[in-house]
Each structure stands twice: as structure tokens, then as C-alpha cells.
Amino acid sequence: MPYDPRKAAQTIAFFALKEGGSINVLKVVKLVYLADRESLRQRGHPIQYEARFSMPHGPVNSTTLDYLNGFYRDDGGWSDFLRDRANNDVGLANQNMTLEALDELSKREIGVLESVWLEFGHMDRFDLAEWTHDHIPEWEDPNGSSRRIPLDRMMAAVGLERSVERARELESLEQASAFLGSL
């Protein structure tokens, strides 16, 4: 599956709704990563199909971060759910948005997002970044740069059997998505 900016925006919109309509970018990129990780653990695949990297403040979903930073002109439905980043926050495009508007997310994905929010939503951005440093074994300190997090390492970290074939298949999907997103 290629990267779906509309689905990624809805994932962020879910967390922004929980936060009251706007959410800190550092916090939400950690929550998106943790949601993909939890989905991988529960369902055998992430919610978002994209490359992930170890960055100085913890793991991030690369394409989603690029969208948050405004690097794409054709937003693929992103702006239907989120307004442009303002300083360090991103907010809902429509303050009257409800969970029912998040039609790209399945009930199981909403369940994953709910569980991630219940566990981590109370944390501020810096506590969440520190938590990922201490509790996400696939994250490696990039020493001021970035390092790709291979999907098989993420799978092993969540306790899945190391299915090299499955990891390669998902990695291929993520690489194809990154290529298509760069066009």
C-alpha cells in the first residue's frame, strides 16, 4: 500500500481531537510512531506505510513528519483534516470535527489509537520523547543525525517472530510509498 496522507492526517486529527483541537508536533509524531508500533504488535502491520527513523528526540515516521513540516504541495487530502503547522502545534482544519469524520481509519485502528492515547496522552512532548529513548529498543541514538529503523527490528522489538519475508514485504511497500511520495 502506498503512503496515504489522508489517513495519516486523520491519525493526527484523532490525537488533536483528544488534546482539545490542537497538539504539539513533537508529541504527535511520537504518538503516531507508538500507534504504528502497537498496530504492528496487535495486527502484524502498521497503520501507516512509510519509512521510520531514529532522530535525536526519538523515533519518527518520516513522511508524516515531512507533511507536518509542509514539504508537500499536493497534500492528498491532508488539509481536509489539519491546518498548517503554527510554530510547534498542528490543529484541526475544522473545530467541529468529530471522530466520525475519520473515515480512513478502521475500527481496529481507532482502537489502537485509543489505547495509545490512554497510555501516553497524559505525557508532555519532552516526557514522551524521553520515554521513547528509554523504552523503544529499536531506536538508536543517531548522534545529531538520523538512522533508518528497519521494520524487522521493529517487529522483533514488539515480540513478533522475526518473519524476514514479511518484514521485507512491508519494507518494499514502505520504499515504494516513499518513492511515489517523492514524485
Side-chain angles (χ1 to χ4, degrees):
M1 297 179 76
Y3 180 79
D4 185 347
R6 183 177 169 89
K7 186 174 188 177
Q10 288 185 16
T11 301
I12 293 167
F14 173 90
F15 291 125
L17 278 165
K18 293 293 187 175
E19 191 85 342
S22 180
I23 190 164
N24 176 270
V25 170
L26 178 60
K27 180 175 182 173
V28 82
V29 296
K30 299 303 156 225
L31 294 171
V32 168
Y33 181 87
L34 291 169
D36 270 357
R37 191 175 195 272
E38 182 61 17
S39 178
L40 186 62
R41 188 187 70 74
Q42 286 184 22
R43 305 177 326 138
H45 57 86
I47 296 171
Q48 313 302 327
Y49 289 92
E50 63 184 304
R52 290 162 197 85
F53 286 85
S54 291
M55 305 264 309
H57 291 293
V60 300
N61 288 39
S62 180
T63 306
T64 296
L65 181 59
D66 286 347
Y67 268 90
L68 281 164
N69 288 330
F71 293 159
Y72 291 97
R73 289 183 200 186
D74 177 9
D75 72 8
W78 182 274
S79 61
D80 294 342
F81 297 91
L82 300 171
R83 51 178 205 266
D84 288 342
R85 176 180 177 160
N87 297 316
N88 295 317
D89 292 327
V90 63
L92 299 171
N94 174 355
Q95 291 303 312
N96 297 321
M97 189 179 301
T98 64
L99 287 177
E100 290 74 33
L102 309 181
D103 60 350
E104 296 293 328
L105 298 167
S106 71
K107 288 180 182 178
R108 287 191 68 198
E109 289 168 336
I110 293 286
V112 168
L113 298 177
E114 287 283 359
S115 69
V116 167
W117 181 257
L118 285 173
E119 187 169 354
F120 300 105
H122 68 280
M123 298 173 87
D124 76 18
R125 65 186 181 246
F126 298 117
D127 290 338
L128 196 51
E130 186 175 320
W131 189 93
T132 63
H133 289 188
D134 295 340
H135 296 92
I136 303 295
E138 66 271 26
W139 177 81
E140 297 176 329
D141 186 349
N143 297 312
S145 184
S146 66
R147 289 186 184 168
R148 187 173 173 94
I149 299 173
L151 194 59
D152 64 338
R153 190 171 55 200
M154 195 174 171
M155 292 172 77
V158 299
L160 295 179
E161 286 186 26
R162 286 191 89 153
S163 170
V164 174
E165 187 174 314
R166 178 70 175 143
R168 286 183 183 149
E169 177 184 309
L170 290 172
E171 283 282 330
S172 293
L173 289 171
E174 290 173 352
Q175 289 170 358
S177 175
F179 173 74
L180 290 172
S182 69
L183 297 178

